[in-house]
Amino acid sequence: MKDTPNIVEILWEEEKLGKLASMGDIVKRKKAEQAIKHSLGFEKTISVVSSLFILNYNNDAALNRSLDEMGSFTGASRVHLFLLRGNGTIMDNTHEWCKEGVSSQKHNLQSISAEMLPWWMGKLRNGETIHIEDVSKMPSEANFEEKMLGVQGVRSLLAFPLKIGEKLNGFIRLDNVFTTGKWSYEDFAILRVCSEIIGNVLERRQMEGALRESEERYRAIFEQSLDGLYVHDFEGNFIDANPVALKMFGYTKEEISSLNFSSLLDEGQIPMVWGAINGLLMNEADKGTTEYHLKRMDGTYVWVEIKTSVIYRGGKPYGVQGIVRDITKHKWMIEEYKKYQWEIEQQNIKLKELDSIKSNFLNMASHELRTPMCSMKGYVQMVLKGSLGEITKEQKKGLEVVLRNTNRLDTLIQDIIDAYQLESGAMKFIPEKTDLQKMMKEIAETMKSSADLKEIKLNTDIIEGLPDLFIDQKRIKQVLINLVNNAIKFSPDGSTINIQAKKEQSDVLFEVQDFGQGISKDKQNMIFETFYQVDSGMKRSFGGTGLGLSISKDIILAHDGRIWVESTCGGGSTFRFTLPIKPVKDVEDRFKEVDVFRLETERGTKREEHVIQRG
Ligand code: ADP
């Protein structure tokens, strides 16, 4: 409804001088006019402040201008923007606007500890507006705040928090340094709306700062990485490459920016790149790496290993990032390794061929050498016995030498064949039930003639009631004969040799004791090694091959027994070995495992320990 004012005409001596409206109407109209003006001012302030930031949100000038607008609108003496740092523990007055003639306080309001203002900060953290009509009448818990504000000459104030999410980021404070009194509803409103606009601006500014920092960090990592890094778009056109990648590719940054990844590849590899890019785009991110043979600018090639992933900008796929490593050396080493492996395989083939030649030779040797040896021995023995007619004493002596040497030759051939058979696992091994009394007697009889030659007395002590053993009798006899043979060989004429067998717990213990030259401590383990002889070289005074003890040891180990020696230099030696009473299973298989020539060092060592331990 239209409001018509109550107008009275003013007359002077019948003349119309003017019209007079009543006072009540004027006040009403003034108020209405003021309200319109205020509302226009309010809208103007808001639109100026927001447009400032739309146009230039990052500029301090925009903040200063906003404070100016707020101050002008509210009639405040000063407007301050405070920001918190150090996780909300320290505040600084970063921006300030002062009415003409009002002194600035900004320089006094830097690095203030938030802890000193618990009442003030508590309210702001709760998101409350602080409205103080009279600074001199602040509550007692705000004692410090009151003093501080007093020093700044503040009489009344209005403050509003700036929050990012739940976190207090700072606040805006309107001061009146002239009078105390209430701040108006419009002042509240303008402070609140402007604080929200400024709060949003600051939040954006903070986020952009963080983004810039993370971009800078990424750039630093990209540039300084020890791995090659590059980025290309989904067509393969290079966008960027770091110094390591550039060095690997052999191009400068400018040159690479006009290149496509495929131009570094030979034809055949190009489909691999598209396959990889498509895989990445279809989210089949290849977790592994791909190897490429890259063509560098100077025409040389480099082998690289590349791991790719999609990178995003603003939430959208931006390109493909590759981590590239030079594996040329690694590749070369693999190639070399393969070459060596091939050479070793070839050598193994050759060795096998040689082995088979050796095997054939030994086969041939065993037959072709031993057969005539047997007939030679037979005929010599027959002549010696006089079966082919009378012979003279000199002829007999000569034939005895022939027979001795034929025997030695036969033993040598047999030892070599045995050692080879042990090594190759080809030795036939036939366990049988064995009467030990009988076996020992036979050995004593066999060895008697050799002992007699040196007038050595053989003492055989076989304890009665020894159990029968399930052993390869021929092989165990071979061991005993070798031990007795050695005892005779290394004993002086006219001495004694004791041969003994007795039961010891679950084993039968065999002993061959002589009182000959003995073996020094440091040689006692070595004598069980193939071809080892204490007295070796051209000066040696005893015959033999150095194979006997090595063969003996393997035969005993195959029977699950132990063999060792106790000896003192000049005091004689006692060789001992054990055989288990319980029959040994899979003897032949065990036998195949022995490594007579110590080709497998580790096993050789184990067996060495075995002997030392027991010995
Ligand atoms: P060979 O007797 O054919 O030389 P062996 O393997 O039987 O081979 O013996 C190896 C070495 O051990 C002998 O050459 C000798 O030096 C030493 N040896 C063996 N038995 C005795 C012993 N009873 N007394 C002293 N030395 C011995």
Side-chain angles (χ1 to χ4, degrees):
M1 210 169 72
K2 214 174 167 204
D3 192 11
T4 29
N6 196 6
I7 297 169
V8 180
E9 283 183 345
I10 305 169
L11 303 169
W12 183 257
E13 291 176 352
E14 292 304 308
E15 267 189 54
K16 271 190 208 169
L17 285 178
K19 290 175 183 170
L20 187 69
S22 84
M23 279 307 277
D25 289 339
I26 291 170
V27 170
K28 243 188 191 175
R29 208 170 65 205
K30 274 273 176 233
K31 266 193 178 168
E33 275 172 15
Q34 251 178 11
I36 292 166
K37 219 168 131 188
H38 234 97
S39 132
L40 284 173
F42 186 86
E43 277 166 22
K44 187 198 133 222
T45 309
I46 303 291
S47 76
V48 168
V49 170
S50 40
S51 62
L52 274 171
F53 292 111
I54 292 167
L55 294 172
N56 200 0
Y57 57 82
N58 223 2
N59 199 332
D60 284 341
L63 282 170
N64 287 332
R65 183 65 207 286
S66 305
L67 301 191
D68 181 350
E69 288 293 327
M70 288 161 75
S72 305
F73 177 79
T74 57
S77 318
R78 273 192 303 253
V79 185
H80 305 271
L81 167 64
F82 282 87
L83 290 179
L84 293 168
R85 63 184 158 94
N87 216 7
T89 57
I90 296 166
M91 66 173 86
D92 301 296
N93 181 192
T94 56
H95 300 77
E96 182 198 51
W97 171 85
C98 301
K99 199 178 190 152
E100 231 182 288
V102 174
S103 64
S104 163
Q105 290 295 324
K106 196 177 161 196
H107 57 285
N108 292 326
L109 301 172
Q110 302 302 316
S111 302
I112 302 167
S113 162
E115 254 181 44
M116 286 158 66
L117 310 163
W119 178 84
W120 182 272
M121 294 308 291
K123 279 193 172 299
L124 292 176
R125 280 193 191 111
N126 281 342
E128 291 174 32
T129 308
I130 301 175
H131 179 202
I132 298 168
E133 291 175 35
D134 187 346
V135 168
S136 65
K137 290 180 186 155
M138 282 174 75
S140 57
E141 55 280 24
N143 210 359
F144 189 78
E145 285 89 338
E146 186 182 317
K147 269 191 199 139
M148 250 188 105
L149 290 163
V151 170
Q152 294 162 44
V154 184
R155 309 274 314 268
S156 71
L157 65 83
L158 196 62
F160 194 83
L162 296 174
K163 283 191 127 186
I164 295 178
E166 279 306 296
K167 202 177 151 218
L168 181 68
N169 209 32
F171 57 92
I172 296 179
R173 196 181 90 189
L174 306 180
D175 295 351
N176 191 334
V177 299
F178 300 112
T179 56
T180 57
K182 268 192 178 167
W183 290 73
S184 72
Y185 167 75
E186 284 88 353
D187 298 337
F188 268 81
I190 204 84
L191 177 59
R192 189 195 172 103
V193 175
C194 288
S195 297
E196 265 160 22
I197 295 170
I198 292 172
N200 284 340
V201 168
L202 292 176
E203 183 178 356
R204 203 159 144 185
R205 203 157 135 174
Q206 225 172 49
M207 275 164 59
E208 277 169 359
L211 196 71
R212 205 172 38 250
E213 260 176 42
S214 95
E215 261 172 18
E216 277 166 11
R217 258 201 312 270
Y218 170 78
R219 190 100 300 263
I221 293 170
F222 188 85
E223 290 299 323
Q224 289 160 23
S225 167
L226 294 177
D227 285 325
L229 294 174
Y230 66 83
V231 179
H232 63 58
D233 64 17
F234 293 107
E235 262 81 57
N237 302 312
F238 278 108
I239 299 171
D240 205 351
N242 75 351
V244 179
L246 289 170
K247 201 172 163 204
M248 257 183 246
F249 301 158
Y251 288 92
T252 64
K253 212 169 189 108
E254 289 70 42
E255 287 162 348
I256 206 104
S257 61
S258 57
L259 277 186
N260 190 287
F261 187 78
S262 57
S263 57
L264 300 178
L265 302 171
D266 285 335
E267 286 274 307
Q269 292 187 94
I270 294 174
M272 281 166 70
V273 183
W274 305 133
I277 294 179
N278 285 337
L280 283 170
L281 283 173
M282 287 165 77
N283 228 356
E284 296 163 2
D286 180 15
K287 301 264 180 320
T289 51
T290 316
E291 285 181 5
Y292 294 103
H293 201 204
L294 298 187
K295 195 164 49 188
R296 304 171 85 239
M297 186 174 181
D298 61 6
T300 57
Y301 280 83
V302 59
W303 270 107
V304 294
E305 185 183 70
I306 295 182
K307 185 169 175 53
T308 50
S309 55
V310 174
I311 52 167
Y312 296 84
R313 274 226 177 137
K316 286 186 184 151
Y318 168 70
V320 174
Q321 176 173 278
I323 305 175
V324 51
R325 228 168 247 187
D326 186 341
I327 53 162
T328 313
K329 245 188 203 159
H330 177 74
K331 275 263 175 197
W332 177 81
M333 276 163 73
I334 289 179
E335 287 306 312
E336 284 298 290
Y337 173 72
K338 276 188 190 156
K339 221 163 75 190
Y340 284 130
Q341 217 176 16
W342 184 83
E343 275 171 18
I344 288 170
E345 271 166 23
Q346 295 305 307
Q347 275 170 1
N348 271 341
I349 293 171
K350 263 191 197 147
L351 278 175
K352 273 188 188 149
E353 281 168 11
L354 286 173
D355 205 47
S356 124
I357 293 170
K358 184 180 84 178
S359 161
N360 288 340
F361 169 75
L362 283 166
N363 246 341
M364 186 273 291
S366 66
H367 282 99
E368 300 304 313
L369 287 175
R370 293 205 70 213
T371 314
M373 195 76 68
C374 278
S375 71
M376 272 161 69
K377 258 164 75 175
Y379 275 107
V380 171
Q381 276 163 346
M382 275 162 69
V383 176
L384 273 171
K385 272 188 188 164
S387 317
L388 300 178
E390 287 274 305
I391 52 167
T392 64
K393 258 189 182 171
E394 278 69 32
Q395 283 168 332
K396 196 178 173 205
K397 262 190 187 167
L399 281 172
E400 274 167 357
V401 174
V402 173
L403 185 61
R404 240 191 347 267
N405 282 303
T406 315
N407 277 334
R408 276 179 67 180
L409 204 57
D410 193 28
T411 312
L412 175 70
I413 293 166
Q414 190 54 53
D415 276 357
I416 292 172
I417 291 169
D418 280 355
Y420 169 72
Q421 283 184 337
L422 276 166
E423 181 219 19
S424 62
M427 181 177 269
K428 271 279 149 246
F429 199 74
I430 309 152
E432 60 184 307
K433 198 172 169 198
T434 306
D435 176 346
L436 294 184
Q437 299 264 1
K438 201 168 149 240
M439 184 182 83
M440 297 292 273
K441 253 187 210 152
E442 281 168 15
I443 284 163
E445 274 161 23
T446 313
M447 299 311 295
K448 194 174 175 308
S449 55
S450 307
D452 285 349
L453 283 175
K454 287 179 83 175
E455 291 170 3
I456 288 174
K457 192 168 175 254
L458 283 185
N459 276 338
T460 319
D461 183 7
I462 307 145
I463 311 289
E464 295 244 341
L466 279 181
D468 288 347
L469 293 185
F470 196 72
I471 50 174
D472 184 324
Q473 202 186 128
K474 192 179 135 211
R475 293 296 167 196
I476 297 299
K477 265 187 180 170
Q478 184 181 345
V479 173
L480 276 163
I481 288 171
N482 180 50
L483 295 181
V484 178
N485 233 335
N486 281 345
I488 295 169
K489 193 157 62 175
F490 297 106
S491 289
D493 288 4
S495 62
T496 308
I497 291 171
N498 298 321
I499 307 167
Q500 214 187 48
K502 59 182 176 191
K503 191 172 168 260
E504 231 188 43
Q505 291 157 7
S506 53
D507 296 326
V508 172
L509 174 72
F510 296 82
E511 264 183 31
V512 177
Q513 183 187 29
D514 67 59
F515 300 92
Q517 64 180 52
I519 307 153
S520 64
K521 201 122 201 105
D522 57 320
K523 306 275 165 55
Q524 286 175 17
N525 282 323
M526 279 141 58
I527 56 169
F528 290 94
E529 282 174 24
T530 323
F531 297 121
Y532 186 83
Q533 291 180 306
V534 176
D535 195 11
S536 59
M538 299 301 283
K539 287 187 288 176
R540 71 197 178 111
S541 37
F542 302 98
T545 56
L547 282 169
L549 284 178
S550 159
I551 293 169
S552 301
K553 185 174 116 183
D554 288 320
I555 291 173
I556 298 301
L557 285 178
H559 278 82
D560 215 8
R562 303 165 274 141
I563 184 165
W564 67 100
V565 64
E566 272 166 34
S567 181
T568 48
C569 260
S573 315
T574 306
F575 281 84
R576 293 193 175 89
F577 70 87
T578 62
L579 289 176
I581 294 168
K582 214 168 105 195
V584 180
K585 280 184 190 153
D586 310 324
V587 184
E588 212 150 335
D589 283 344
R590 263 166 205 283
F591 219 56
K592 280 180 189 156
E593 283 171 22
V594 295
D595 179 27
V596 179
F597 293 109
R598 308 292 177 266
L599 293 176
E600 294 167 45
T601 330
E602 203 199 325
R603 278 181 54 198
T605 315
K606 266 188 205 155
R607 280 136 48 89
E608 221 49 75
E609 279 166 10
H610 185 72
V611 172
I612 295 164
Q613 238 177 41
R614 318 279 178 128

